Amino acid sequence: MRQKLLTIAASIALMCMLAGPVCFGQKRGPSTPEERAQAVRIARALETDPLNEKAKDERRSIFMWLADVPDISVTICTDFLKPLFDKDKNYSTEISTQMMFSSAAFIIEHPDQANDRKAVSQAGLEGSLKTYESILKTRPNAKWPFLDGLIQKREKGELGAYVSDILAKGKCK
C-alpha cells in the first residue's frame, strides 16, 4: 500500500513539473492563433502517422498545452471507446487519447460548434478511427473488432447515431 501511495505521489509530482502553471495556480492568457494552428497540425499528423518517432513527444506537448490553456476545453467520455480502456494493447492509448486531440482540433477549426457535444465527440471519434486505420497500415495485427465495427458504422453513415446514443445514456456530461 505504501509503495502504491508513493507511486501515485511521484506521478502527481511529475505531472506538476510538466504542467507547472496548472498545478501551481498560475494563470496564463488564452491560446494564440499560432498555438492553435500548431495544435491542429499536431492532431492531424497524429491521425495520419501515429507511430512516427516524434509522436510520443507531440502527444505530451498537445496534452500539456490543452491542460494549460483556459480557452479550449475538451470533455473526455470514455464510453465512446470503452473496450480500449479495459486493455493496454494494440496501441489502445494512442487511439483513445487521439479522441481528445481530434476534438480539440475540431473546436479550433469550428469555434461556432465548440459547445455542440455531438459534433465535437463525433469529430474526436473519427480522429481515433483515422489513427486506428493508420496504425493498421504498418501494424496489421493491431486489430480491434470493436473499432472495425465503428468503421462499418461510419461507412454506413451510422456513426452519428452511435455518438447520439452514448450521449443520450447520460453518462457523458
Side-chain angles (χ1 to χ4, degrees):
M1 180 68 166
R2 179 173 155 74
Q3 183 62 34
K4 185 174 183 177
L5 289 174
L6 289 174
T7 303
I8 292 169
S11 296
I12 292 170
L14 177 62
M15 288 302 292
C16 283
M17 286 189 321
L18 294 172
V22 175
C23 290
F24 299 117
Q26 298 171 354
K27 304 260 183 196
R28 67 155 277 171
S31 61
T32 66
E34 295 80 15
E35 289 174 321
R36 290 190 297 275
Q38 176 76 348
V40 170
R41 186 200 63 73
I42 291 171
R44 299 304 180 221
L46 289 171
E47 289 173 355
T48 59
D49 192 7
L51 303 178
N52 77 69
E53 63 187 36
K54 296 179 184 175
K56 186 175 182 179
D57 290 337
E58 288 179 328
R59 277 186 196 88
R60 183 177 340 156
S61 169
I62 192 171
F63 178 82
M64 298 312 297
W65 178 77
L66 283 169
D68 198 27
V69 295
D71 59 322
I72 298 173
S73 179
V74 179
T75 302
I76 302 303
C77 175
T78 59
D79 287 0
F80 292 110
L81 297 169
K82 187 154 181 52
L84 277 70
F85 290 97
D86 294 337
K87 301 202 175 12
D88 185 22
K89 67 173 193 170
N90 293 345
Y91 304 97
S92 60
T93 301
E94 290 82 355
I95 297 165
S96 59
T97 57
Q98 187 61 42
M99 186 162 181
M100 177 185 356
F101 308 143
S102 296
S103 293
F106 178 83
I107 289 168
I108 292 166
E109 293 175 325
H110 305 277
D112 58 316
Q113 296 180 56
N115 294 319
D116 183 339
R117 281 296 308 269
K118 181 180 181 228
V120 172
S121 297
Q122 186 165 340
L125 185 56
E126 288 177 3
S128 287
L129 294 177
K130 289 176 189 174
T131 299
Y132 172 63
E133 291 171 313
S134 295
I135 289 170
L136 289 179
K137 290 177 184 174
T138 58
R139 307 289 196 286
N141 292 331
K143 297 288 279 178
W144 284 94
F146 169 76
L147 294 176
D148 294 336
L150 289 181
I151 289 170
Q152 289 176 351
K153 287 182 187 302
R154 182 188 66 196
E155 290 171 357
K156 293 178 184 176
E158 299 170 356
L159 194 62
Y162 172 78
V163 170
S164 293
D165 183 53
I166 296 289
L167 292 172
K169 289 181 180 174
K171 293 182 182 178
C172 299
K173 302 281 185 225

